[in-house]
Amino acid sequence: MQIKPFWNKKTISFKYILFCAFLLLFVLPVIGIQVSAYYNNVRMVRHTMQEAANHNLLQTQQNLQVALSSYDYMLYQLYTERKLIDLIDAINNTDHVAENSLLLTQMLSNAIYGQSYVQAITVITENKQVIIFDRLKGSQHQHSWIKDASMPISHIYNQTLRSSKSYMFSTTSGKDFSGQIYHYVHIAHPVMDYKNAQKKKGIVILS
């Protein structure tokens, strides 16, 4: 007696066709929609993040330009100040150097207050006299940024004189009285005496 199988070829073929049709018509489209939605969301998130990053960079650039403009104006007020020019002339001519250096230091101290990010103002005269007022340490003839600078004072002085605009440079570090390290960015400009524009009297540096 021959026993017939419960599943015949026709039944298997029909169920296989139904299964494939179900996959093609329902499962695969749903998977495709989910994958497409996922990648669309990823692209949208990346685009949003890029726009936010670009906006933040633009805002930072604008803030930096405003800050640099204010420092440029402060520097301009210093290197064109008649009293500062006269004091530098006296120091260059070795006329009451100690007294005039003290007066110049007092002038720098008056200029630095109110400028929260300016830590020091340095004047280097033609005869290489260095007068500094530091916000934390007060008046002194040497400063940690000068000692830690990778370039000598003579190089800074000559580069500033050669520059037609403000000369910007950075130094390795500076330390306050507690030993905390600061990294300095400096803006320097030659002292401008419009009565004698060809005469190089010295430079002023904001730190």
Side-chain angles (χ1 to χ4, degrees), residues 30-90:
V30 171
I31 293 174
I33 291 171
Q34 294 293 331
V35 170
S36 176
Y38 170 77
Y39 282 107
N40 284 334
N41 289 336
V42 169
R43 282 194 295 270
M44 289 178 61
V45 169
R46 286 179 178 173
H47 180 71
T48 303
M49 291 177 64
Q50 186 64 44
E51 283 189 338
N54 291 338
H55 176 75
N56 290 336
L57 286 174
L58 180 61
Q59 188 66 41
T60 302
Q61 182 183 17
Q62 291 173 344
N63 293 339
L64 183 59
Q65 288 174 343
V66 170
L68 290 176
S69 296
S70 67
Y71 297 144
D72 275 336
Y73 181 66
M74 178 183 177
L75 192 60
Y76 170 81
Q77 289 179 312
L78 286 169
Y79 67 72
T80 58
E81 172 61 42
R82 186 72 251 170
K83 182 179 178 181
L84 181 139
I85 294 170
D86 291 340
L87 289 171
I88 291 176
D89 277 338

Side-chain angles (χ1 to χ4, degrees), residues 145-177:
W145 80 257
I146 294 178
K147 292 185 292 184
D148 294 341
S150 58
M151 59 187 79
I153 285 294
S154 58
H155 177 78
I156 297 172
Y157 185 85
N158 292 329
Q159 286 294 110
T160 303
L161 292 183
R162 291 193 193 102
S163 177
S164 59
K165 299 180 180 179
S166 296
Y167 173 58
M168 295 187 65
F169 62 99
S170 62
T171 53
T172 305
S173 65
K175 294 181 181 179
D176 63 10
F177 61 89

Side-chain angles (χ1 to χ4, degrees), residues 5-197:
F6 180 76
W7 302 101
N8 57 34
K9 293 182 180 180
K10 291 183 179 180
T11 305
I12 293 174
S13 299
F14 181 69
K15 287 186 175 182
Y16 180 76
I17 291 171
L18 286 178
F19 178 73
C20 292
F22 177 75
L23 287 177
L24 291 172
L25 295 176
F26 297 100
V27 176
L28 292 180
V30 171
I31 293 174
I33 291 171
Q34 294 293 331
V35 170
S36 176
Y38 170 77
Y39 282 107
N40 284 334
N41 289 336
V42 169
R43 282 194 295 270
M44 289 178 61
V45 169
R46 286 179 178 173
H47 180 71
T48 303
M49 291 177 64
Q50 186 64 44
E51 283 189 338
N54 291 338
H55 176 75
N56 290 336
L57 286 174
L58 180 61
Q59 188 66 41
T60 302
Q61 182 183 17
Q62 291 173 344
N63 293 339
L64 183 59
Q65 288 174 343
V66 170
L68 290 176
S69 296
S70 67
Y71 297 144
D72 275 336
Y73 181 66
M74 178 183 177
L75 192 60
Y76 170 81
Q77 289 179 312
L78 286 169
Y79 67 72
T80 58
E81 172 61 42
R82 186 72 251 170
K83 182 179 178 181
L84 181 139
I85 294 170
D86 291 340
L87 289 171
I88 291 176
D89 277 338
I91 294 171
N92 283 331
N93 295 327
T94 64
D95 181 19
H96 299 90
V97 174
E99 180 183 347
N100 286 312
S101 295
L102 179 60
L103 291 173
L104 182 55
T105 300
Q106 291 174 346
M107 185 176 177
L108 299 182
S109 71
N110 293 333
I112 201 171
Y113 290 115
Q115 301 292 334
S116 58
Y117 290 103
V118 179
Q119 294 299 317
I121 305 177
T122 307
V123 171
I124 304 175
T125 65
E126 183 184 15
N127 57 10
K128 302 304 184 291
Q129 289 284 332
V130 179
I131 297 94
I132 299 176
F133 184 83
D134 180 84
R135 181 187 296 275
L136 295 176
K137 299 180 181 180
S139 173
Q140 56 191 51
H141 294 287
Q142 285 294 326
H143 190 274
S144 54
W145 80 257
I146 294 178
K147 292 185 292 184
D148 294 341
S150 58
M151 59 187 79
I153 285 294
S154 58
H155 177 78
I156 297 172
Y157 185 85
N158 292 329
Q159 286 294 110
T160 303
L161 292 183
R162 291 193 193 102
S163 177
S164 59
K165 299 180 180 179
S166 296
Y167 173 58
M168 295 187 65
F169 62 99
S170 62
T171 53
T172 305
S173 65
K175 294 181 181 179
D176 63 10
F177 61 89
S178 66
Q180 183 176 356
I181 295 176
Y182 292 90
H183 295 275
Y184 283 98
V185 174
H186 311 275
I187 309 174
H189 199 284
V191 174
M192 301 294 294
D193 186 356
Y194 292 105
K195 292 182 179 179
N196 186 5

